[in-house]
Amino acid sequence: MGSKNKLKHFEENKTFGNVLQPTREELLTSFNLKGNWHSLFKNTNPVVLELGCGKGEYTVSLAKLHPERNFIGIDIKGARFWRGAKTALSENLENVIFLRAQIELIEKIFAPGEVAEIWITFPDPQIKFKRTKHRLVNTDFLRLYQKILTENGFVHLKTDSEFLHGYLLGILHEGKHEIMYAHHNIYKSSSAPAEVTSVQTFYEKQYLSQNKPITYIQFRTKYTL
């Protein structure tokens, strides 16, 4: 994406009613929507997050499939989710919000038990050991997710990275967490959840055209917090 387009998208995001861009200082001090997201959506439906949402393709598609839920796509790169925000507005999807924020601040954004589900779709696997702290499914992040999830809330990881798939399975087995569903090639599974195979991002379609396996894990963490 050229710099001119990025600047244009940044400016257009400011006019979108479904985009929130709080400053880091606002998030660290007193973010007024923490514990009050239902007031923004004007209903008490379950809140579902997509972390590192990119262009927001999954966020928007899930919102269409589940009008009875509220969806929030989170990414620090607002120029990316501009596409998803624009699509949601043009299609009058009132159950979609995009939030520009760093994922490590998620505990400042949502109150304990405020989130029903978390989707993590095709994150950077951060394969190098020194990048472990940036993996969105490392133990530190998993503890953060558990804090904001409801008692029965759960997390989805969908990725083309066999490394990340195996890394997370190792953490879950070692910690005796609850693995609700796991498959190393979700499109070869006859029992795959419909929303996992029916929604495909631009890059996912490219991976599939190259016969690259797409992995999937659905799980609950059981840390003592």
Side-chain angles (χ1 to χ4, degrees):
M1 183 188 298
S3 58
K4 286 187 179 179
N5 278 341
K6 279 187 178 181
L7 291 174
K8 178 183 176 182
H9 293 169
F10 279 134
E11 288 304 310
E12 197 165 1
N13 277 347
K14 295 176 183 177
T15 69
F16 289 167
N18 61 354
V19 170
L20 300 176
Q21 301 186 87
T23 65
R24 182 180 177 84
E25 184 180 358
E26 288 173 329
L27 294 178
L28 289 173
T29 52
S30 57
F31 185 54
N32 61 5
L33 283 173
K34 180 179 178 179
N36 295 299
W37 282 96
H38 290 306
S39 66
L40 183 64
F41 285 106
K42 296 182 174 58
N43 61 55
T44 57
N45 295 339
V47 172
V48 181
L49 311 182
E50 185 190 5
L51 304 182
C53 67
K55 294 181 180 180
E57 297 160 283
Y58 231 91
T59 303
V60 170
S61 295
L62 288 173
K64 292 179 184 178
L65 285 173
H66 298 289
E68 77 286 358
R69 303 179 198 171
N70 299 319
F71 291 86
I72 303 173
I74 302 177
D75 205 298
I76 193 59
K77 297 185 177 179
R80 285 185 181 175
F81 64 58
W82 165 86
R83 178 66 271 169
K86 193 174 182 70
T87 299
L89 286 175
S90 65
E91 299 189 15
N92 297 313
L93 297 175
E94 297 183 353
N95 61 332
V96 181
I97 291 291
F98 286 94
L99 174 67
R100 184 172 183 266
Q102 293 173 303
I103 294 169
E104 56 264 34
L105 298 180
I106 198 167
E107 194 180 5
K108 305 293 184 180
I109 300 170
F110 300 96
E114 193 170 19
V115 174
E117 294 177 42
I118 293 174
W119 283 83
I120 304 172
T121 57
F122 302 94
D124 187 333
Q126 308 285 2
I127 292 176
K128 292 183 178 180
F129 179 76
K130 65 181 181 180
R131 300 289 296 175
T132 301
K133 66 179 182 180
H134 298 288
R135 291 176 198 153
L136 291 184
V137 290
N138 70 28
T139 54
D140 289 338
F141 275 118
L142 295 184
R143 287 179 185 274
L144 283 178
Y145 304 156
Q146 184 175 320
K147 287 180 180 180
I148 64 171
L149 283 165
T150 61
E151 184 177 353
N152 293 315
F154 52 90
V155 183
H156 311 258
L157 173 69
K158 188 178 183 183
T159 175
D160 64 305
S161 171
E162 294 180 48
F163 163 79
L164 196 63
H165 180 82
Y167 169 80
L168 176 58
L169 281 179
I171 289 176
L172 296 176
H173 283 300
E174 183 179 359
K176 295 181 171 57
H177 303 293
E178 181 183 356
I179 300 174
M180 303 164 67
Y181 190 100
H183 203 283
H184 67 282
N185 191 341
I186 194 65
Y187 290 97
K188 294 293 179 78
S189 170
S190 60
S191 59
E195 59 192 0
V196 179
T197 53
S198 63
V199 179
Q200 296 177 3
T201 66
F202 172 78
Y203 290 109
E204 182 178 357
K205 290 174 183 176
Q206 288 190 331
Y207 301 146
L208 290 171
S209 70
Q210 299 165 9
N211 294 317
K212 194 170 186 179
I214 305 299
T215 72
Y216 172 73
I217 307 173
Q218 183 182 131
F219 63 96
R220 289 191 183 98
T221 53
K222 301 293 181 179
Y223 291 110
T224 301
L225 300 176

